[in-house]
Amino acid sequence: MAISISAMSFRTSVSSSYSAFLCNSKNPFCLNSLFSLRNSHRTFQPSLSRKSSRVRATLLKENEEEVVVEKSFAPKSFPGNVGGGNNGEPPDNSSSNGLEKWVIKIEQSVNIFLTDSVIKILDTLYHDRHYARFFVLETIARVPYFAFISVLHLYESFGWWRRADYLKVHFAESWNEMHHLLIMEELGGNAWWFDRFLAQHIAVFYYFMTVSMYALSPRMAYHFSECVEHHAYETYDKFIKDQEAELKKLPAPKIAVSYYTGGDLYLFDEFQTSREPNTRRPKIDNLYDVFMNIRDDEAEHCKTMKACQTHGSLRSPHTNPCDESEDDPGCSVPQADCVGIVDCITKSVADPNVGRR
């Protein structure tokens, strides 16, 4: 009996010490680590290699740290890597897991087809007009985030879903993309009437498409945004490598200097959900630095969109992980939590308490 009590005390001590380390350390992956530990009993490891679906981004820190951003729903990795969220892995506790894999495969295939189709059109129209292409891309790229916010506000109005972290992060993403757009406008990317007409009309269509997609399947909508951000990353990366010498001779636009180096950078930290606040502070000496930062922003968007593909996994970088266990009725309505409008309506009919706050 004494041995059993001692062993139990030892395990409790180790567990408490490790939890304290996660909450109090400077580890930039504290949030993701907590979420992974909480759900490790119901996840599985992917069996296939994901080397073919990696995006490398150089983050502008003093030591030029290099990170890897992995695409989550690449068809070549199916069925071994078909999930989303922090590890790209879905829960394995559902009897319909096989069906879910095929649904995910269909969703990802449709998203990749749509993305590739738009890329081919842009490649044809903007083969050697870089700033105009970037203006169109940034006009389109900011649309999903306020589309997500629109649907989340609708859910909140019905009492179905209230998640403050999602609203904060998506607004910060929209704010970041808006400044990318302002930079491209200052560089003259919107000089032609045709470019403005094309970008704005695509944006209107994209908004209603994203709202519909997000209402039916948030996972699919987040993956589609990941595909768009991944294409933006690759586009900027290629441009930087091809034009490096010329870009280093040109001055940075004033709006870029103001956004990346001046004022309150709270929103700049907010959309980068895989890192602690204040750990990335860009330098802006010339136009090359501007495009490096825009490219790295797109890599951060990729990681955030991947995390969103696991329902409920998104955490604001400013959220204290040690307070997650506390009941905060202002941030969530657990009994009304749902995925997609069909699930929300079903739960609101089945549970009379849904929608009451």
Side-chain angles (χ1 to χ4, degrees):
M1 178 67 70
I3 296 176
S4 301
I5 293 176
S6 299
M8 183 179 300
S9 299
F10 175 75
R11 288 195 299 268
T12 302
S13 175
V14 171
S15 177
S16 300
S17 300
Y18 188 61
S19 299
F21 165 76
L22 287 173
C23 293
N24 299 325
S25 70
K26 298 295 184 179
N27 180 10
F29 300 101
C30 176
L31 303 182
N32 289 342
S33 299
L34 283 170
F35 180 78
S36 299
L37 285 172
R38 182 182 296 177
N39 296 277
S40 59
H41 67 282
R42 55 188 179 91
T43 57
F44 63 91
Q45 297 296 328
S47 58
L48 300 181
S49 172
R50 295 182 285 187
K51 291 182 179 179
S52 61
S53 59
R54 291 185 176 179
V55 182
R56 296 190 175 274
T58 303
L59 299 181
L60 295 179
K61 299 174 69 175
E62 292 182 358
N63 58 351
E64 292 294 320
E65 176 189 354
E66 186 176 35
V67 299
V68 176
V69 182
E70 299 179 356
K71 291 183 65 180
S72 59
F73 284 153
K76 291 181 180 179
S77 65
F78 180 82
N81 178 30
V82 294
N86 299 324
N87 298 318
E89 300 163 5
D92 195 23
N93 59 350
S94 174
S95 60
S96 61
N97 191 48
L99 176 62
E100 184 180 7
K101 289 182 179 181
W102 284 105
V103 171
I104 292 173
K105 183 177 181 181
I106 293 173
E107 291 176 353
Q108 69 181 16
S109 298
V110 171
N111 287 341
I112 292 173
F113 171 77
L114 292 174
T115 306
D116 289 344
S117 299
V118 174
I119 290 173
K120 290 179 181 179
I121 295 173
L122 294 179
D123 286 343
T124 302
L125 294 175
Y126 299 99
H127 177 67
D128 55 356
R129 298 179 56 228
H130 301 295
Y131 293 159
R133 180 191 182 105
F134 297 151
F135 167 77
V136 174
L137 280 177
E138 296 301 343
T139 302
I140 296 172
R142 61 193 291 258
V143 168
Y145 303 118
F146 57 80
F148 298 156
I149 292 174
S150 298
V151 179
L152 291 175
H153 274 297
L154 176 65
Y155 288 177
E156 184 178 17
S157 298
F158 290 135
W160 291 343
W161 193 18
R162 179 187 291 165
R163 290 187 181 274
D165 282 11
Y166 279 72
L167 293 174
K168 285 197 302 180
V169 170
H170 291 333
F171 178 78
E173 289 177 300
S174 177
W175 189 254
N176 176 255
E177 297 289 8
M178 183 191 73
H179 282 83
H180 292 179
L181 180 62
L182 294 176
I183 291 171
M184 298 312 157
E185 290 178 350
E186 190 168 337
L187 292 173
N190 64 335
W192 286 19
W193 173 86
F194 172 78
D195 298 327
R196 298 194 301 273
F197 179 87
L198 179 65
Q200 292 164 0
H201 283 74
I202 291 177
V204 171
F205 172 79
Y206 188 25
Y207 171 79
F208 288 103
M209 185 193 80
T210 304
V211 166
S212 301
M213 185 184 295
Y214 192 63
L216 295 174
S217 175
R219 177 183 59 204
M220 183 178 183
Y222 284 131
H223 172 256
F224 188 80
S225 294
E226 182 189 353
C227 291
V228 173
E229 299 293 1
H230 177 245
H231 168 67
Y233 173 91
E234 289 186 330
T235 302
Y236 285 120
D237 189 57
K238 184 177 184 302
F239 174 72
I240 291 170
K241 292 175 180 177
D242 292 343
Q243 306 291 330
E244 179 177 356
E246 185 65 25
L247 291 174
K248 287 183 176 180
K249 300 176 184 177
L250 300 174
K254 292 182 180 179
I255 185 63
V257 176
S258 174
Y259 174 67
Y260 284 109
T261 65
D264 184 4
L265 294 177
Y266 178 91
L267 288 177
F268 177 73
D269 291 328
E270 183 65 31
F271 74 90
Q272 303 176 81
T273 55
S274 66
R275 59 170 60 243
E276 287 186 339
N278 303 315
T279 56
R280 179 187 169 202
R281 285 295 175 261
K283 63 175 183 178
I284 301 290
D285 294 331
N286 47 48
L287 193 56
Y288 175 81
D289 291 337
V290 173
F291 278 101
M292 284 284 289
N293 281 292
I294 293 176
R295 184 201 68 176
D296 293 344
D297 289 347
E298 306 299 356
E300 295 295 334
H301 287 304
C302 278
K303 290 186 285 187
T304 298
M305 289 296 94
K306 179 179 177 181
C308 287
Q309 290 165 42
T310 293
H311 178 65
S313 68
L314 185 66
R315 296 290 183 273
S316 162
H318 296 94
T319 297
N320 183 359
C322 297
D323 296 336
E324 286 185 349
S325 60
E326 297 181 4
D327 185 21
D328 185 2
C331 293
S332 63
V333 186
Q335 75 278 9
D337 193 32
C338 52
V339 184
I341 194 167
V342 175
D343 185 36
C344 289
I345 293 175
T346 302
K347 289 183 177 179
S348 65
V349 172
D351 186 354
N353 292 322
V354 170
R356 297 181 183 177
R357 293 199 293 266

